[in-house]
Amino acid sequence: MTQTGKLLPFKILVVDDEPDLELLIRQKFRRQIRAGEMMFAFAHNGVEALEILHQDSQIEMVLTDINMPIMDGLTLLGKIGNLDRMLKTVVVSAYGDMDNIRAAMNRGAYDFLTKPIDLNDLEVTINKTKQRIDFLRESEREHRLLVDIQNELNVATRIQRSILPCDFPPFPGIEGFELFAEMIPAKEVGGDFYDFFLLDENRLALAIGDVSGKGVPAAIFMAVTRTLLKSVALTGVQAGECLKQVNRMLSLENTSYMFVTLYYAILNIVTGEYQFSNAGHNLPYIISAEGSARELPAAAGIVLGIDENYEYQTETINLMPGDIIFLFTDGITESFNEAKEMYGDERLQRCLEHTGISGPKEIIRKVVREVSIHAGEEPQSDDLTMLAAKYHP
Amino acid sequence: MLIEVIEEQSIPLTIVGLNGRMDSSNSREFEEKIVGLIQNGKTKMIVDCAQLQYISSAGLRVFLMAAKQLTMAKGKLVLSSLNDDVRQVFNLTGFSSIFEIRDSREDAMKSYDA
């Protein structure tokens, strides 16, 4: 649109009750008119001028005399000020008529010329006015761009919020576990997500992930990953096979070099069997019923989306009744304080250990509180995402 | 984050030194710098991470992009001198297995001798 705009002529409305002016101007600017650089319209008083302005929204400059019949130039200036469009007015007044010139400037005139009009001066003034308008248009465009970016960020927030399950307890009537999850988005949305769903009456699927980068691209990549994961997981494959298939689909035609870390686990809520596979995500913690907390190691697997043939391992442990699996994203451990110190693994482990509380929700709330105290006034730069599940047969 | 580019004439190759924290607020700057170098035919590259204190996933993405583009251009990317925190991120995400990583800038330069 902007490119075509530059090819359009600069349209100027000349308002003067003197008929000779039209001839003089057409003569002076004949080359620019022929070349399509300028276009002139003429009116003989303020009322005519307003009519023409209503009909032609592309006029960007008005050159007006002050003393005219029916509606004078100062009144016209006031009316133009109410039009709410990009329009610069240059007034023409008698030489030395400082009162009228001041009045015109106070009513929003952009510049003034004196009579008799010096056509060379007029040309300079027209060019200067055009440059000013081009500059204003450019500023306006940039402002709109900023607004668009802000809207885009809001879109990302909505995508992220709308697809994460947030009803707790999630599966009323099904016992054997307790579960809670929370995501606190950063101002500029990252691509964090979590998910949980039942594969069958005994098996609960848990997932947490983090897409590289931020904003709408990350949010869309996240939404795609989550959908792929769920559709593959529901076919009942083992954890590693599930990541392998999701990875293959994400890697094909991934030209943006985005990737996603993903930890996927399947908890048997009857037997306590806990099967998991990790694609480059932070290792979770396991918190025992006695209150000890330790990192739960997993084989290092590469992040999803970059090596389509990667084989992900499946590992299995057995949970003890009361064990809690705490999944999180690096927004937690890489939360900075004002001294640019990260919250870190050690603080997180201390926070999870011997809490004296035993519910997933309470534990997540405690971490949120402590991370917030650590961060102080430092703005949150990444999403904070956690999912905790307690085996509770 | 500071980015320093040194042209090593003897081999020849390009050494990009990173200093500070790389996250989504400045990874684009690094991306533009790297893309510019590759477009100017600088296809033998070392990224010296000795002074890189932190890298987020947005930064890893640029490393990945650089490695893939350099491979396509028949060049290569060698990383050197990762500190323990950055190294841990590379290990955890599996990036250690797809990048050539050397302990020092000198070692990285030697990898181009062959």
Side-chain angles (χ1 to χ4, degrees):
Chain A
M1 288 304 284
T2 325
Q3 268 80 26
T4 40
K6 277 182 182 147
L7 298 174
L8 289 174
F10 185 51
K11 279 195 169 180
I12 303 157
L13 172 63
V14 180
V15 194
D16 199 313
D17 55 341
E18 235 176 280
D20 293 351
L21 189 61
E22 178 166 351
L23 280 174
L24 283 172
I25 284 177
R26 287 199 188 284
Q27 174 68 16
K28 165 74 184 169
F29 297 105
R30 61 187 185 283
R31 193 187 54 76
Q32 290 93 329
I33 294 170
R34 242 195 337 266
E37 293 165 12
M38 289 184 188
M39 195 179 263
F40 289 89
F42 294 88
H44 301 98
N45 59 61
V47 173
E48 271 184 38
L50 284 174
E51 272 171 23
I52 293 173
L53 285 174
H54 280 303
Q55 283 159 17
D56 191 341
S57 63
Q58 287 174 344
I59 292 172
E60 291 180 307
M61 175 176 170
V62 176
L63 177 74
T64 181
D65 193 8
I66 290 183
N67 295 314
M68 291 178 295
I70 308 179
M71 184 193 284
D72 67 19
L74 291 179
T75 312
L76 175 64
L77 255 177
K79 304 251 184 212
I80 284 175
N82 296 332
L83 286 181
D84 188 30
R85 61 190 252 193
M86 187 79 78
L87 197 58
K88 292 281 165 211
T89 306
V90 173
V91 295
V92 185
S93 86
Y95 180 77
D97 183 5
M98 211 27 100
D99 287 348
N100 269 328
I101 290 171
R102 282 307 316 153
M105 296 308 275
N106 288 340
R107 289 181 189 207
Y110 172 64
D111 201 353
F112 65 91
L113 294 168
T114 53
K115 283 187 178 180
I117 292 178
D118 174 343
L119 288 172
N120 290 326
D121 188 24
L122 175 60
E123 183 170 9
V124 171
T125 306
I126 287 176
N127 288 334
K128 191 183 76 173
T129 309
K130 183 174 181 336
Q131 278 169 18
R132 180 71 194 163
I133 286 174
D134 287 346
F135 171 76
L136 289 173
R137 288 229 184 278
E138 184 63 20
S139 318
E140 197 181 50
R141 202 183 63 81
E142 281 168 10
H143 176 75
R144 271 203 308 268
L145 210 63
L146 287 175
V147 172
D148 286 349
I149 290 169
Q150 188 56 49
N151 289 342
E152 178 178 280
L153 294 178
N154 294 339
V155 167
T157 310
R158 282 209 302 277
I159 293 173
Q160 195 183 36
R161 281 182 183 275
S162 64
I163 69 173
L164 300 184
C166 53
D167 291 332
F168 300 98
F171 313 110
I174 296 195
E175 296 185 348
F177 68 95
E178 277 177 54
L179 188 151
F180 191 73
E182 182 152 22
M183 194 232 1
I184 304 168
K187 197 170 173 199
E188 190 195 356
V189 173
D192 276 16
F193 70 99
Y194 62 78
D195 205 359
F196 50 81
F197 44 89
L198 289 168
L199 296 173
D200 53 48
E201 58 190 8
N202 293 339
R203 292 188 304 158
L204 171 70
L206 306 169
I208 191 159
D210 183 358
V211 175
S212 61
K214 290 180 189 294
V216 168
I220 291 173
F221 204 80
M222 176 271 265
V224 169
T225 305
R226 181 177 167 272
T227 307
L228 285 176
L229 174 72
K230 190 165 182 175
S231 61
V232 174
L234 287 172
T235 65
V237 294
Q238 291 212 320
E241 177 63 22
C242 182
L243 291 193
K244 180 183 166 183
Q245 290 185 28
V246 172
N247 176 54
R248 183 175 300 147
M249 289 186 273
L250 284 176
S251 301
L252 295 172
E253 297 176 44
N254 177 13
T255 51
S256 61
Y257 308 108
M258 292 186 89
F259 58 84
V260 54
T261 69
L262 183 63
Y263 181 94
Y264 174 58
I266 302 168
L267 170 63
N268 187 313
I269 56 181
V270 178
T271 66
E273 185 190 275
Y274 179 78
Q275 186 192 91
F276 56 95
S277 185
N278 188 22
H281 195 80
N282 306 52
L283 296 176
Y285 282 86
I286 179 167
I287 306 162
S288 72
E290 293 77 40
S292 69
R294 65 182 173 89
E295 205 172 66
L296 180 58
I302 199 166
V303 298
L304 302 180
I306 63 180
D307 181 356
E308 64 182 73
N309 296 316
Y310 197 83
E311 300 278 344
Y312 292 89
Q313 293 185 33
T314 300
E315 295 168 85
T316 305
I317 60 166
N318 283 303
L319 299 189
M320 302 301 290
D323 278 353
I324 293 175
I325 300 290
F326 177 81
L327 308 176
F328 64 101
T329 59
D330 60 6
I332 303 285
T333 41
E334 294 176 8
S335 169
F336 287 90
N337 64 11
E338 282 149 272
K340 302 291 174 201
E341 294 162 344
M342 291 200 253
Y343 183 67
D345 297 317
E346 283 170 29
R347 285 193 186 86
L348 178 60
Q349 174 153 8
R350 279 205 300 276
C351 172
L352 296 174
E353 215 155 24
H354 304 296
T355 53
I357 50 180
S358 60
K361 182 173 181 176
E362 290 72 24
I363 285 176
I364 284 177
R365 286 285 148 82
K366 178 166 189 260
V367 175
V368 170
R369 212 162 44 236
E370 296 211 358
V371 168
S372 158
I373 290 168
H374 171 79
E377 297 293 310
E378 186 71 8
Q380 182 192 338
S381 62
D382 200 358
D383 301 337
L384 303 177
T385 308
M386 288 150 286
L387 187 160
K390 180 178 184 179
Y391 171 53
H392 194 41
Chain B
M1 184 184 61
L2 293 173
I3 305 173
E4 180 194 35
V5 178
I6 300 170
E7 295 296 339
E8 176 61 50
Q9 303 297 343
S10 59
I11 299 189
L13 53 78
T14 305
I15 300 170
V16 180
L18 298 176
N19 188 330
R21 298 165 28 82
M22 176 147 54
D23 56 30
S24 62
S25 73
N26 55 26
S27 64
R28 183 171 291 267
E29 184 194 345
F30 178 53
E31 178 169 356
E32 283 166 3
K33 180 94 45 163
I34 290 280
V35 168
L37 287 169
I38 296 171
Q39 281 172 353
N40 284 322
K42 312 291 183 190
T43 56
K44 293 179 173 178
M45 204 180 287
I46 292 171
V47 176
D48 186 332
C49 303
Q51 305 299 322
L52 181 66
Q53 280 134 27
Y54 167 80
I55 185 164
S56 81
S57 63
L60 290 177
R61 189 189 144 267
V62 182
F63 276 74
L64 180 67
M65 182 218 65
K68 292 207 169 179
Q69 291 198 0
L70 285 168
T71 306
M72 277 191 281
K74 307 260 184 278
K76 77 168 175 174
L77 173 65
V78 181
L79 309 182
S80 79
S81 330
L82 279 61
N83 77 18
D84 288 348
D85 288 342
V86 173
R87 184 84 203 200
Q88 197 195 342
V89 172
F90 271 74
N91 290 340
L92 184 70
T93 52
F95 271 51
S96 303
S97 66
I98 51 172
F99 284 96
E100 185 170 343
I101 301 175
R102 299 297 172 111
D103 289 339
S104 69
R105 185 185 285 202
E106 289 67 36
D107 283 353
M109 286 169 72
K110 278 182 202 152
S111 79
Y112 279 98
D113 285 347

